[in-house]
Amino acid sequence: MTDAVRLAELLFPDVAKTPEDYEAMYPERDLPEGARVTRFAPSPTGFLHIGGLFAALIAKLTADTTGGAFFLRIEDTDKKREIEDGVSAILDGLNAFGIDVTEGVTGKDTEAGAYGPYQQSKRKDIYHCFAKQLVQNGMAYPCFCTAEELEELRAAQEKEGVNPGYYGKYAKWRDQPLETVEAELQKGTPYVLRFRSPGDPEKKVVFDDFIKGKIEMPENDIDIVLLKTDGIPTYHFAHCVDDHLMRTTHVVRGDEWISSVPTHIQLFKACGFRVPKFAHIAPIMKLDEGNKRKLSKRKDPEAAVSYYVEEGYPKESVLEYLLTLANSNFEDWRRANKTAPLSDFPFNLKKMSVSGALFDLAKLNDVSKNVISLMDADTVYHYTLQWAAENNQPFHDLLAANEDKAKAFLAIGRGGKKPRKDIGKWSEVPDYLSYLFDETYQSDYALPENISAGDAVSILESYAPIYDETDDNNTWFEKVKSLCEPLGFTPNVKEYKENPDAFKGHVGDVSTVIRIATTGRTNTPDLCTILQILGKDTVLARLDNAIRAWKS
Ligand code: GLU
């Protein structure tokens, strides 16, 4: 028995399986040529960040567009940073935006798929098996340095003017004789397991990142920690073991990991694993007083995906907007394929922005108005009701009690070639519909400058007797036109423009007065339909109130 094999036995006496056992348990996936296997691997340390949702979407699209597989792995090796409902927060966030998890962690205590467990805290035996193999092969060793010793090392290195870290000749426990190591083990001295890095920083490692392109970096020579004193793996080691055994082909993750790739490549090779492909996503940025900065969990409410749920952005809008950030050709594709489902978009990982995409809420709102404009009234009603149930109970009750009215109103201007684009998010609907219900209607009798209160009264006094709630659009408009001449207005807009001094205003001004009197607004969808929906009693009462207000 070599010293390395003996050391491996001493460190991991309980490891019952061999790497071959695990290779057999988790065979290569049976997928068609070119299929990509990706994952989303968050730590349950807080709410789901929009950047996390973005990464998950990119990973999922990469899998979906190639007939591959996507799974959710929970990286919960840092118990100190974990929060109570971390897993639920992630799953709720993903679900709210239609990222279905069919493989991996599916609930607080549930999972699905043949490559689990998908929660790192449940994989300790697996990590130990591969750690043992590394020790056997002389690629890992225990290090008994205390925090103070490491601090002294750092100070000495600083004095010497060399790179800080545990490497080469500074790696005290790298080459200690077995007896010395055994003595410490017998004393029960706490230790970490370190990687014996084969790297030389004078040499370069080159890899092709799917998003960033060709990258060249010095080789890693740090003997990084693989297992912490409690036997729990570091991110680096867990990533390597998990992505190998879960047969990930493309590691899609945030670009804060890019500097670790030289270490990761060494680790994959030392374990005898094929190195996966990497795709590092730049963080989502925001323009703040002219400066580009990362979207911040602390400063920006829109960083949390719950913000979009509460504001009532449909999931389709958020996904659609994230796609405009992901692939710059998405908008052209959307213009050419107005109603195609998102899944038809030929997403391309290689077309991702190399530097951070700029997040713009105004743009999201525009995208969302477009998305909502293509929904039918029933869908808009249904989503709004759902949003209101969570976020605006009084409005929910009003909406539920007036379903037909609300749907009839929401149907105005929908379904045609150029649908109206009034609504960007469900939280705008209470205001959009407010004049439909007496409970929320607020009169506002302010008139445009060119119309006097006296004229407004005359218009309404002439209109009220001829108003008929059964009039169709044509008849309605003819009636409004018929009011014009006797009151000094013209039914002909062109005529007014040619000779404005000859008239008090034109037919548009006349209908504006009726609009203001009945809705409190100067701008609404088709007024004739609105009056039909409001019904005779409401319309006459509102005309009456307006006449009184303008008379006083
Ligand atoms: N758990 C890591 C993080 O939260 C995941 C990185 C990865 O996707 O590999 O950043």
Side-chain angles (χ1 to χ4, degrees), residues 39 41-43 73 75 235 239 243 251-254 256-257:
R39 81 296 191 281
S43 304
R73 179 170 72 228
E75 304 211 326
Y235 166 73
H239 148 57
D243 280 319
V251 172
V252 177
R253 63 183 174 190
E256 67 273 23
W257 295 110

Side-chain angles (χ1 to χ4, degrees), residues 45 346 449 493 502:
T45 51
E449 261 174 34
V493 180

Side-chain angles (χ1 to χ4, degrees), residues 159-177:
K159 237 189 189 158
E160 237 181 282
V162 296
N163 287 337
Y166 203 88
Y167 61 93
K169 65 176 183 184
Y170 303 102
K172 178 176 163 190
W173 287 92
R174 213 171 206 244
D175 293 309
Q176 295 290 343

Side-chain angles (χ1 to χ4, degrees), residues 106 270 283:
T106 53

